[in-house]
């Protein structure tokens, strides 16, 4: 799985497999990342920069989003 910047298309993160379930992404800079439909169940996104990220349809059940920057993020189902 690749996480790409939604404007530049730059690959920000490559994960083996198709799930980020339980991933430790604390303080990660995922600004503008395309995480549409991603399985982020139980992921640690504390203090992550998700500004402008596409999280549409992502599974965020149990994810730690404390102090995460979600400004402008797409959180639609």
């Amino acid at each position: 799985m690749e996480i790409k910047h939604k404007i530049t298309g730059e690959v920000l993160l490559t994960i083996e497999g198709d799930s980020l379930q339980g991933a430790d992404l604390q303080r990660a800079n995922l600004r503008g990342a395309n995480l549409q439909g991603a399985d982020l169940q139980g992921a640690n996104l504390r203090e992550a920069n998700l500004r402008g990220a596409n999280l549409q349809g992502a599974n965020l059940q149990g994810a730690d989003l404390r102090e995460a920057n979600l400004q402008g993020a797409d959180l639609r189902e």
Side-chain angles (χ1 to χ4, degrees):
M1 168 184 281
E2 291 181 337
I3 298 173
K4 296 182 180 181
H5 190 281
K6 74 177 183 181
I7 296 172
T8 67
E10 174 189 2
V11 176
L12 302 172
L13 180 66
T14 302
I15 303 285
E16 287 189 35
D18 60 355
S19 175
L20 293 169
Q21 191 174 41
D24 184 2
L25 298 169
Q26 184 170 354
R27 294 188 193 99
N29 183 1
L30 299 170
R31 183 177 182 164
N34 183 1
L35 296 165
Q36 184 174 357
D39 184 2
L40 294 161
Q41 184 175 352
N44 179 4
L45 293 162
R46 188 171 186 167
E47 299 177 38
N49 182 2
L50 293 160
R51 184 178 183 155
N54 181 359
L55 293 162
Q56 187 174 359
N59 180 358
L60 296 168
Q61 184 177 356
D64 185 350
L65 293 164
R66 288 178 287 177
E67 300 180 49
N69 182 351
L70 294 166
Q71 184 176 355
D74 186 348
L75 296 166
R76 293 178 286 171
E77 288 186 39

